Amino acid sequence: MSQEDNQNMGVDLGEFLEFYLLDSQEQVEKLAAGLLQLEKEGNNVGLINDLFRSAHSLKGASGTMGFTSIVALTHSAEDLLDRLRQGKMEVSLPMVDILLAVTDRVKEMLRQVEQRVEINVEFQDVVDEMNALMRGEAPVPAKTIEAPVHSEAPSTPSEYTPIDFQLTEEVRDQVQDAQGLGHGIYQAVIKFAPNTLMKAVRAVMAVQRMENVGKVVKMIPSVEDLEVGNQDEFALLILSDDSPEEIREELLAVSEIAEVVIHPYSGTTTGTPLVTNQVAAAVHAEVLEGAEAPFDTEQLKQGIKPAQPVAVKAVPSSPAKPVAGNANNGASEGSNQVHTIRVDTVRMDNLINLVGEMVITRTRLVQIGQDLKEQYHMDAMVNNLNETTVYLGRLMSDLQESAMRLRMVPIGTVFSRFPRLVRDLSRKTEKEIELVLKGEDTELDKTVVEVIGDPLMHLIRNSVDHGIESPEERRAAGKPELGTITLDAYHEGNHIAILISDDGKGLDLNRIYEKALSKGLVGEREGLSDRDIANLIFLPGFSTADQVTDISGRGVGMDVVKKALNNLGGMIDITTRAGEGTTFTIRLPLTLAIIQALLVEAGTEIYAVPLSSVLETLLVEQKEIKNVGGIPMVQLRGNTLPLISLREKFELPPAEVEPEEVFVVVVGLGDKALGLIVDGLRGQQEVVIKSLGEYLNNLPGIAGATILGDGKVTLILDIGSLIQDILVTRRG
């Protein structure tokens, strides 16, 4: 469809492009996930109908927007699914493969649409494969398939109430002329599905669908009224030579259209106004340029199919009164209220930034109040200021928590990518693997969700290629041929834990150690624990694979995983047992915006330690600190606690006089603990994490910076990175 056609419609479809992309991407994801489920469950009639609906909706929406390539591809997929639901074909692996290929091509097409470039994705080969699959179909004799999604109701019942479209006399005469020439005039009442969000968009799509079968003479209520009102249905007066069933099918092709009822329309009948939710429409849509020339009567004599679409134009009208006697009207309207809205992430991030600036300003007010109290401790106004600041702090905490919740999204949005990945990799490696997903509803910061996908993909690919054995090896080891990879997520305090585990052969620790020894990464006399050896796989370029494949084995994936997690302030740990499998445990902070922090002193510098990582604070005598393998240690309740001096870590000048006692801040992540040697403790404070920019973003041990109440910039420590450094570099 051309841009000129869109303008003739009176509606700029470019305004709906974002909604189209959101809806289409959702339909494609639903289609892909359903196909993977269909592969496991076979001829599940309900699931097949759902898949057909998704393909049908995708085709209809794409046709409305004029994306003919997507329409052609999804039309063939729709035909294939239609034959499947009619029982003419059985679910097979080649069928699922080709339909998954359809989703891949459509995703690529939608990416081009989003980039505002012409769609040039080749798809004819996929269409040819689907056609070949349908040509080789065999009827299934003993198969009963449920009826299609939309039940076929009689299109022309014996009794119905004609709708008053409030036609002008001229338009009514032309409708009668059309009927006299033998053309069909129909009234269609179209009902939306429950909780439909974009009713005006659906109505415009329905009007455009009618271009395929005829003309829309009039629509009530108008597009504008549908946008602001709470209507559950709208009506079209349609001029068409096609049958009511064909018109109905065209309208049902629009997504979120639940029901269509069509009756022949009598141009001489004075009907009743359309009642929508028992409230009559207030605004009506005129055809073309108004009532003067709704359509050309001469064109009717030559045929109805118009070359140009019908424009929909709004004109004001007096609102009709509700129908009396409907006591449930209020409840009905309340039950259809929209409880969710879609907000641009840029606006949401701007809100979070403003909240962060307010937190900094509030911290500054607290500092000013404390300074004033030291000078005017008996002044009533100063006390009032401090009391107001305390109340403001409570309000800011509530506002901050509410704003942070806006950033939280379920990790299931990331997990949903991997069933298809595991399916394709298992077929490529000729292994039988099942992916089990748990904790998809666990929420974390959207920034973390956007970044965590690639590290998880590397770990899953590694589990498929190196962890799970071949069916022959599993049989020989007394295991079931079907291997299992489990992806789990759960909250752990102020962190989220993500587990990627498999029941494969586990890591070959001896081979890892020998490889590290041959590369000079470890010494022969170093006594490394199994955990230390396992963590060697995160070193850059480290790989034990004898053969590089397109799945893994290049020695870059695990290094990338560690770097990505360090940038997020997280860490990764490995647990492995020979012959039983391997578990990678990732721990990440829930949010990356505003945190509670403990301010500590090291020399003349002040550092912020995330309070969620602080376990306790100690006062340790210097004589209790022992040096083991180049790392200072201290005994803490029978356990050895490794220590890091912030002065030495960040190369600060040593103290002029060595104190007899030092402060130690014990921090932990998961089951790992570390002691930070500091010169003093400043107290707890709420801080806003600010990025250090492109050039300073990857400083080891630093997660970001913040601004204190006195305006000074303070660095925020990356506890995960510090603990990871101790684990990996323990060998010196």
Side-chain angles (χ1 to χ4, degrees):
M1 182 178 297
S2 66
Q3 184 66 31
E4 181 182 357
D5 291 339
N6 291 342
Q7 292 173 353
N8 289 336
M9 273 296 299
V11 177
D12 182 9
L13 290 182
E15 298 178 3
F16 302 122
L17 183 59
E18 182 180 351
F19 298 107
Y20 163 77
L21 287 170
L22 288 171
D23 182 69
S24 298
Q25 288 162 355
E26 182 179 339
Q27 295 291 352
V28 173
E29 293 297 335
K30 189 184 301 183
L31 190 60
L35 288 170
L36 295 177
Q37 185 180 351
L38 184 67
E39 186 178 32
K40 296 179 181 179
E41 299 182 4
N43 293 305
N44 182 327
V45 177
L47 180 57
I48 293 171
N49 281 332
D50 289 341
L51 294 174
F52 178 83
R53 271 199 301 270
S54 295
H56 198 62
S57 299
L58 185 59
K59 184 187 80 170
S62 301
T64 299
M65 300 299 293
F67 302 128
T68 55
S69 298
I70 301 178
V71 172
L73 180 56
T74 52
H75 179 71
S76 296
E78 183 186 35
D79 287 344
L80 183 57
L81 288 167
D82 190 35
R83 299 197 180 200
L84 187 62
R85 70 174 186 160
Q86 292 177 17
K88 296 179 180 179
M89 301 182 71
E90 287 277 5
V91 176
S92 64
L93 190 58
M95 178 186 294
V96 175
D97 286 341
I98 192 62
L99 288 174
L100 285 172
V102 170
T103 64
D104 292 339
R105 302 290 176 94
V106 173
K107 286 179 183 178
E108 184 60 32
M109 291 176 177
L110 291 176
R111 274 193 288 270
Q112 293 183 340
V113 171
E114 190 172 13
Q115 295 166 3
R116 307 300 197 273
V117 298
E118 184 179 355
I119 297 177
N120 57 10
V121 177
E122 178 58 42
F123 63 90
Q124 190 58 45
D125 56 330
V126 180
V127 173
D128 292 341
E129 287 188 48
M130 285 190 285
N131 291 336
L133 198 61
M134 286 186 284
R135 285 195 299 269
E137 68 188 20
V140 183
K143 189 67 179 177
T144 56
I145 300 294
E146 291 181 4
V149 177
H150 302 290
S151 59
E152 292 294 334
S155 297
T156 57
S158 57
E159 296 182 8
Y160 76 98
T161 303
I163 296 172
D164 181 11
F165 284 94
Q166 297 189 1
L167 302 178
T168 64
E169 184 177 354
E170 182 181 359
V171 175
R172 188 180 297 110
D173 291 340
Q174 292 181 352
V175 168
Q176 293 176 5
D177 291 342
Q179 289 176 317
L181 293 170
H183 299 297
I185 301 291
Y186 302 98
Q187 69 176 41
V189 178
I190 300 107
K191 295 185 178 181
F192 296 110
N195 301 320
T196 298
L197 297 180
M198 298 178 291
K199 295 180 180 179
V201 177
R202 303 307 175 198
V204 172
M205 291 180 175
V207 172
Q208 287 201 322
R209 293 293 298 188
M210 290 297 93
E211 296 172 28
N212 300 327
V213 295
K215 270 189 176 181
V216 172
V217 178
K218 197 161 187 180
M219 180 180 86
I220 59 173
S222 70
V223 172
E224 288 82 359
D225 195 44
L226 286 173
E227 285 179 343
V228 301
N230 194 30
Q231 288 78 17
D232 290 331
E233 61 188 33
F234 65 99
L236 298 177
L237 183 60
I238 303 167
L239 172 63
S240 175
D241 284 339
D242 288 357
S243 67
E245 288 76 19
E246 290 173 315
I247 298 173
R248 184 170 178 273
E249 282 298 318
E250 285 290 333
L251 291 171
L252 287 174
V254 179
S255 60
E256 295 189 284
I257 295 297
E259 183 181 350
V260 176
V261 179
I262 299 178
H263 306 288
Y265 179 81
S266 173
T268 59
T269 303
T270 302
T272 58
L274 173 69
V275 178
T276 304
N277 257 358
Q278 306 302 331
V279 179
V283 182
H284 301 288
E286 293 294 342
V287 181
L288 294 178
E289 298 302 323
E292 292 76 16
F295 51 84
D296 188 358
T297 307
E298 290 299 321
Q299 187 184 21
L300 298 176
K301 299 177 181 179
Q302 301 175 6
I304 321 215
K305 298 287 179 85
Q308 298 295 332
V310 180
V312 179
K313 178 181 174 183
V315 294
S317 174
S318 300
K321 296 180 180 180
V323 175
N326 185 6
N328 296 326
N329 181 38
S332 175
E333 290 188 4
S335 63
N336 289 326
Q337 290 180 355
V338 176
H339 299 288
T340 60
I341 59 173
R342 281 173 169 155
V343 180
D344 193 308
T345 55
V346 175
R347 295 184 181 183
M348 187 176 65
D349 289 340
N350 186 47
L351 173 63
I352 301 297
N353 290 335
L354 290 175
V355 171
E357 294 301 324
M358 292 178 69
V359 170
I360 294 174
T361 304
R362 197 259 300 180
T363 304
R364 178 64 176 152
L365 285 174
V366 172
Q367 184 69 43
I368 293 174
Q370 291 175 350
D371 294 342
L372 289 174
K373 190 173 183 179
E374 290 179 1
Q375 296 185 34
Y376 310 101
H377 60 278
M378 298 298 292
D379 195 303
M381 293 186 66
V382 172
N383 293 331
N384 290 337
L385 172 63
N386 288 330
E387 289 177 3
T388 304
T389 304
V390 171
Y391 180 66
L392 177 63
R394 295 197 191 106
L395 293 179
M396 283 302 306
S397 297
D398 293 341
L399 177 60
Q400 173 197 335
E401 183 178 357
S402 299
M404 289 299 100
R405 286 186 177 276
L406 295 178
R407 294 176 62 102
M408 306 299 280
V409 295
I411 198 171
T413 57
V414 179
F415 283 7
S416 60
R417 307 179 195 172
F418 301 124
R420 172 73 184 281
L421 174 68
V422 172
R423 175 192 181 272
D424 293 345
L425 292 179
S426 62
R427 293 191 63 192
K428 184 176 292 186
T429 57
E430 298 182 348
K431 298 177 181 179
E432 297 182 17
I433 304 174
E434 178 186 20
L435 178 65
V436 178
L437 301 180
K438 299 179 180 179
E440 299 100 314
D441 295 333
T442 305
E443 293 185 335
L444 71 164
D445 193 285
K446 78 175 187 67
T447 307
V448 180
V449 169
E450 291 168 355
V451 179
I452 195 61
D454 285 342
L456 290 179
M457 183 185 68
H458 282 298
L459 293 173
I460 290 175
R461 293 171 74 96
N462 190 76
S463 294
V464 172
D465 203 25
H466 299 302
I468 302 295
E469 312 95 327
S470 66
E472 295 77 15
E473 291 174 325
R474 293 182 68 86
R475 277 198 306 269
K479 296 181 177 181
E481 294 185 7
L482 180 65
T484 302
I485 297 176
T486 302
L487 195 55
D488 191 9
Y490 56 88
H491 285 126
E492 193 177 71
N494 288 321
H495 290 78
I496 183 175
I498 305 174
L499 275 63
I500 305 95
S501 58
D502 63 68
D503 63 349
K505 57 189 174 184
L507 296 179
D508 190 340
L509 298 180
N510 290 331
R511 190 174 183 185
I512 292 173
Y513 180 76
E514 292 173 0
K515 194 77 172 182
L517 196 62
S518 66
K519 289 189 173 187
L521 300 175
V522 297
E524 292 186 7
R525 297 185 179 181
E526 290 188 35
L528 300 179
S529 66
D530 289 348
R531 177 170 289 173
D532 293 333
I533 295 174
N535 277 289
L536 292 175
I537 67 175
F538 293 111
L539 295 177
F542 188 88
S543 176
T544 60
D546 295 326
Q547 182 178 0
V548 174
T549 68
D550 58 353
I551 299 176
S552 62
R554 299 183 184 275
V556 294
M558 305 306 286
D559 180 35
V560 169
V561 169
K562 180 176 178 293
K563 287 183 178 178
L565 296 178
N566 284 345
N567 291 338
L568 292 173
M571 63 172 294
I572 185 169
D573 189 27
I574 306 175
T575 304
T576 185
R577 298 186 67 177
E580 296 183 15
T582 302
T583 298
F584 294 91
T585 303
I586 297 173
R587 290 181 174 86
L588 296 165
L590 286 179
T591 180
L592 302 178
I594 303 175
I595 61 171
Q596 294 286 336
L598 175 65
L599 301 182
V600 299
E601 299 175 356
T604 58
E605 300 294 332
I606 298 175
Y607 295 94
V609 183
L611 198 62
S612 60
S613 301
V614 176
L615 302 179
E616 59 181 313
T617 57
L618 307 171
L619 194 58
V620 179
E621 295 183 4
Q622 287 280 7
K623 61 182 181 181
E624 296 179 3
I625 300 176
K626 309 296 181 183
N627 198 297
V628 180
I631 299 178
M633 301 275 191
V634 67
Q635 287 291 322
L636 179 62
R637 292 185 288 273
N639 296 318
T640 301
L641 178 70
L643 303 176
I644 288 182
S645 170
L646 291 189
R647 278 182 177 268
E648 296 178 4
K649 174 66 178 177
F650 299 114
E651 300 180 358
L652 301 177
E656 295 180 1
V657 179
E658 194 73 23
E660 295 182 359
E661 295 180 327
V662 293
F663 289 101
V664 174
V665 179
V666 183
V667 295
L669 202 56
D671 58 350
K672 311 294 187 304
L674 175 67
L676 305 177
I677 300 176
V678 298
D679 296 336
L681 307 176
R682 292 282 294 267
Q684 175 184 337
Q685 185 171 310
E686 200 169 48
V687 300
V688 180
I689 301 178
K690 298 287 186 179
S691 172
L692 292 174
E694 182 179 353
Y695 295 104
L696 301 176
N697 201 32
N698 294 319
L699 288 177
I702 301 298
T706 189
I707 302 174
L708 299 181
D710 56 3
K712 293 182 180 179
V713 176
T714 293
L715 296 177
I716 302 172
L717 299 183
D718 183 354
I719 302 304
S721 173
L722 295 175
I723 293 178
Q724 197 75 44
D725 288 344
I726 286 290
L727 293 175
V728 176
T729 61
R730 211 168 182 178
R731 56 191 177 277

